[in-house]
Amino acid sequence: MFAMQLEAVGTPLRLVARQVPTPGRGELLIEVAACGVCRTDLHIVDGEIESRLPIVPGHEIVGIVVAAGEGVADVAIGDRVGVPWLGHSCGHCDYCRTGHENLCDSPAFTGCTRDGGYATHTVADARFCFRIPDAFSNEEAAPLLCAGLIGWRSLRAAGEGTRIGLYGFGAAAHIIAQIALWQGRAVYAFTRAGDDEGQAFARSLGCAWAGSSEDDPPVELDAAILFAPVGDLVPRALRAVHKGGRVICAGIHMSDIPSFPYADLWGERTIASVANLTREDGTSFFEIAQKANVKSVTTVFPLAQANVALERLRSGAVVGAAVLVPSNYAKA
């Protein structure tokens, strides 16, 4: 097998050859068909999120099961599955026992503490894999495994308001905007200043308004979701929501939030974070994504060009989501 491996923080990934792993008890060996490139991968490369090293990044994995370890049930060779960020939870801590496995005290994270999908093969805990509906191609499905799932968890945390602001209109926002619009909500998209292409993209999906994150929206928002990992946006988003409004921080990493006047928070406005995901998020999301006819917009890169994809993501040069595809799955 081949993999793009991170060996030291701040260095480019290196293409390496490895033995194809053998799945252990309860695990699946998956031949990777596509793997999304997530901003969390950049945080791992840059050392902003601590990871095991060396590590194969990638936690938006779609692939075919080619072998199964002992004890695996309800999954067959040849099944197509997806592997998300949360790769394992202990199952017995207070969080796991109360349905909050996303907050597990002893978790494993795909592409961070266990090898991920920037590879031709990967091993995953079968209990934390999702069946991929036929409605989605490999490339379309890959971003759904994190951008979609975190967006869905964030949208539910934002409440039932009809005017939703999305700060950082990338992979997650363009997916969850489609669901919010399908639900009958109005979506207001915020991009980097001067990102005319991103704003046009948001409007093409049906967003009611698109502008710079430095701008005020034309109406008061019921809620705002921050996908951009920029702490300075939190006070700005608080000022954009009305009394009782919610600001949801969706990223696993964010720069420091600056101090702000209490008046910006007063009026029962709330700030909350979304941490990881649960398996229920996955099953409910894929059900609604089919109903909403979600279409991921992707830019495909060969596996060996993972560093190029990461740098394009860093610079904001990717519209929609970047996806890596091993050569044997590349389209002719």
Side-chain angles (χ1 to χ4, degrees):
M1 63 170 280
F2 293 94
M4 295 296 292
Q5 179 172 283
L6 176 66
E7 296 175 347
V9 168
T11 64
L13 307 185
R14 188 169 71 89
L15 181 65
V16 298
R18 291 182 170 186
Q19 292 289 329
V20 175
T22 300
R25 182 172 181 80
E27 292 183 328
L28 302 174
L29 174 63
I30 298 165
E31 184 178 31
V32 177
C35 184
V37 180
C38 178
R39 184 161 293 276
T40 299
D41 301 334
L42 277 177
H43 294 318
I44 289 170
V45 169
D46 293 342
E48 294 165 330
I49 296 174
E50 186 176 352
S51 68
R52 190 197 80 197
L53 292 174
I55 192 71
V56 177
H59 56 273
E60 298 178 325
I61 307 167
V62 177
I64 304 299
V65 176
V66 294
E70 293 183 7
V72 172
D74 301 324
V75 182
I77 306 303
D79 284 354
R80 189 171 66 140
V81 298
V83 186
W85 168 251
L86 183 62
H88 176 82
S89 66
C90 73
H92 55 74
C93 69
D94 287 345
Y95 298 110
C96 287
R97 288 190 290 104
T98 56
H100 299 92
E101 63 189 7
N102 59 308
L103 303 178
C104 176
D105 285 330
S106 302
F109 297 118
T110 310
C112 181
T113 61
R114 60 185 297 161
D115 284 331
Y118 285 19
T120 57
H121 296 78
T122 194
V123 166
D125 186 329
R127 299 171 302 165
F128 288 80
C129 294
F130 302 114
R131 293 187 183 276
I132 303 298
D134 292 339
F136 304 109
S137 70
N138 295 330
E139 295 163 10
E140 290 173 332
L144 304 182
L145 270 301
C146 182
L149 292 178
I150 289 298
W152 176 235
R153 187 171 181 85
S154 300
L155 185 63
R156 293 205 285 186
E160 301 299 323
T162 59
R163 299 185 299 274
I164 304 293
L166 303 180
Y167 285 78
F169 205 82
H174 98 277
I175 292 168
I176 212 61
Q178 295 176 59
I179 290 179
L181 291 165
W182 174 78
Q183 292 174 330
R185 311 191 198 207
V187 177
Y188 298 80
F190 297 82
T191 73
R192 297 185 188 189
D195 185 5
D196 296 335
E197 184 180 11
Q199 291 167 23
F201 176 49
R203 286 190 290 269
S204 75
L205 293 177
C207 292
W209 175 89
S212 166
S213 58
E214 299 174 0
D215 296 335
D216 295 324
V219 296
E220 283 191 318
L221 304 174
D222 296 313
I225 302 174
L226 274 61
F227 294 111
V230 182
D232 286 347
L233 292 177
V234 173
R236 184 172 292 278
L238 277 173
R239 293 191 293 271
V241 301
H242 59 54
K243 288 182 285 187
R246 303 180 185 182
V247 173
I248 307 299
C249 301
I252 193 172
H253 173 83
M254 178 179 279
S255 60
D256 289 345
I257 300 171
S259 62
F260 54 87
Y262 177 63
D264 291 347
L265 181 63
W266 188 79
E268 297 193 349
R269 296 173 177 87
T270 58
I271 305 171
S273 69
V274 165
N276 311 315
L277 56 105
T278 66
R279 284 170 284 183
E280 190 280 330
D281 290 322
T283 54
S284 61
F285 170 71
F286 277 110
E287 179 180 344
I288 201 166
Q290 291 180 86
K291 292 180 180 178
N293 196 28
V294 167
K295 299 296 182 186
S296 301
V297 176
T298 61
T299 302
V300 175
F301 298 83
L303 174 62
Q305 290 186 16
N307 290 308
V308 175
L310 286 166
E311 287 309 311
R312 287 193 59 182
L313 178 62
R314 187 192 301 278
S315 66
V318 175
V319 175
V323 176
L324 301 178
V325 175
S327 58
N328 56 317
Y329 280 94
K331 292 182 179 179

